[in-house]
Amino acid sequence: MIIKSLKKKEIIKKLLNFLYLIRYLITIILISILVIFFSPNFFDFNDNLSDLNKVLSQNNINVKKVKNISYDPIPIPSLIIEKAEILINKNSDPVLVDRLYLKINLLGAYRLDKIKIKKIKFENFNLKLNKKRFKEFISFINKNNDKIEYNNFEIFLANKDINFLKIDKIFLKNINKNKIHFKGLIADKNFKGSFTFDKKNNLKLKIK
């Protein structure tokens, strides 16, 4: 036991000595990593909206106006689009979203022509939907598989110009191509449920 303990101490000592010898190299590597991850904070992305739209169009999203586009490297590289006026379908009315988060690859922060959007998150917005637009919205969610997440938004279901149902504080996430989970409030009461799509792409609604 004593011999094993001495061997462990000797190994630890050698390791610490080695780390001490390469301490400057480790410092340089850490600083380089921090510089690579945080440098895009100083970039101006507001002039690159057209480039972003080229990528977002693959998800049937078109951003018309924004207040600001910023970069956040934590926890993963992301572009944050504030006060965005967007279209989620070509023929839809514009929707004002407080924040649109685009989780991207690090290279995309340096070269927008190389950007890959891993996840899209809508936060704080409302939609007024009639029967036709409700189906279009669900179809939009379904087409984007598990790529888009919606947090804290309101839906007003309407018949012509009359709102007959308000659903608020909705959190919605499409887990996979065929199933969408959601939860929210109707008349201040919690509810949750899911949308599913059959083989013929027909919509089925389940509320718990």
Side-chain angles (χ1 to χ4, degrees), residues 4-5 8 13 31 35 45 83 115 123 132 140 143 162-163 179 184 202:
K4 285 184 178 181
S5 179
K8 284 182 180 180
K13 185 178 179 181
I31 291 174
V35 169
F45 293 96
K83 302 295 182 185
I115 194 169
E123 190 171 273
K132 180 182 177 182
F140 166 77
K143 287 177 182 177
I162 301 173
N163 297 334
K179 194 166 188 177
N202 294 318

Side-chain angles (χ1 to χ4, degrees), residues 17-208:
N17 286 335
F18 175 72
L19 291 174
Y20 180 77
L21 290 173
I22 63 168
R23 64 190 185 280
Y24 296 116
L25 177 60
I26 293 173
T27 302
I28 291 170
I29 292 172
L30 289 175
I31 291 174
S32 299
I33 291 172
L34 290 174
V35 169
I36 291 170
F37 269 86
F38 285 89
S39 286
N41 275 314
F42 303 98
F43 298 170
D44 185 0
F45 293 96
N46 291 295
D47 295 329
N48 301 109
L49 185 57
S50 60
D51 294 319
L52 279 177
N53 273 325
K54 288 178 184 178
V55 183
L56 289 170
S57 64
Q58 298 172 16
N59 302 98
N60 295 323
I61 298 172
N62 183 267
V63 181
K64 306 297 289 183
K65 297 178 183 178
V66 298
K67 182 180 179 181
N68 186 51
I69 303 175
S70 58
Y71 170 81
D72 186 1
I74 300 173
I76 64 172
S78 301
L79 293 180
I80 303 171
I81 304 175
E82 299 178 65
K83 302 295 182 185
E85 185 179 299
I86 67 169
L87 300 176
I88 58 174
N89 281 303
K90 289 182 179 180
N91 299 320
S92 67
D93 295 328
V95 176
L96 184 63
V97 181
D98 273 0
R99 286 184 181 86
L100 185 64
Y101 294 89
L102 308 177
K103 297 180 181 179
I104 63 173
N105 57 324
L106 182 58
L107 179 59
Y110 286 88
R111 291 186 57 182
L112 290 180
D113 60 325
K114 299 293 184 181
I115 194 169
K116 293 181 181 179
I117 299 177
K118 300 176 180 179
K119 202 82 173 178
I120 302 171
K121 182 179 178 181
F122 291 79
E123 190 171 273
N124 299 334
F125 70 104
N126 60 68
L127 290 172
K128 185 175 181 179
L129 304 173
N130 55 28
K131 184 178 180 181
K132 180 182 177 182
R133 290 197 64 197
F134 180 76
K135 287 183 177 180
E136 289 175 351
F137 179 61
I138 298 302
S139 176
F140 166 77
I141 296 169
N142 186 38
K143 287 177 182 177
N144 284 291
N145 299 330
D146 61 345
K147 199 170 188 177
I148 297 181
E149 183 178 310
Y150 309 81
N151 190 30
N152 194 27
F153 74 98
E154 296 179 344
I155 287 180
F156 296 90
L157 298 181
N159 184 8
K160 295 183 178 180
D161 293 328
I162 301 173
N163 297 334
F164 64 85
L165 181 63
K166 177 186 176 185
I167 309 172
D168 55 6
K169 294 186 178 179
I170 301 172
F171 172 83
L172 186 151
K173 186 174 184 180
N174 44 339
I175 303 300
N176 55 54
K177 187 175 182 180
N178 298 314
K179 194 166 188 177
I180 302 164
H181 290 282
F182 62 87
K183 60 182 178 180
L185 292 175
I186 298 179
D188 295 325
K189 292 185 178 180
N190 292 310
F191 78 99
K192 59 182 178 179
S194 63
F195 296 107
T196 55
F197 297 86
D198 60 22
K199 293 181 180 179
K200 295 181 179 180
N201 208 32
N202 294 318
L203 172 67
K204 293 182 179 180
L205 173 63
K206 183 178 180 181
I207 296 179
K208 299 178 182 179

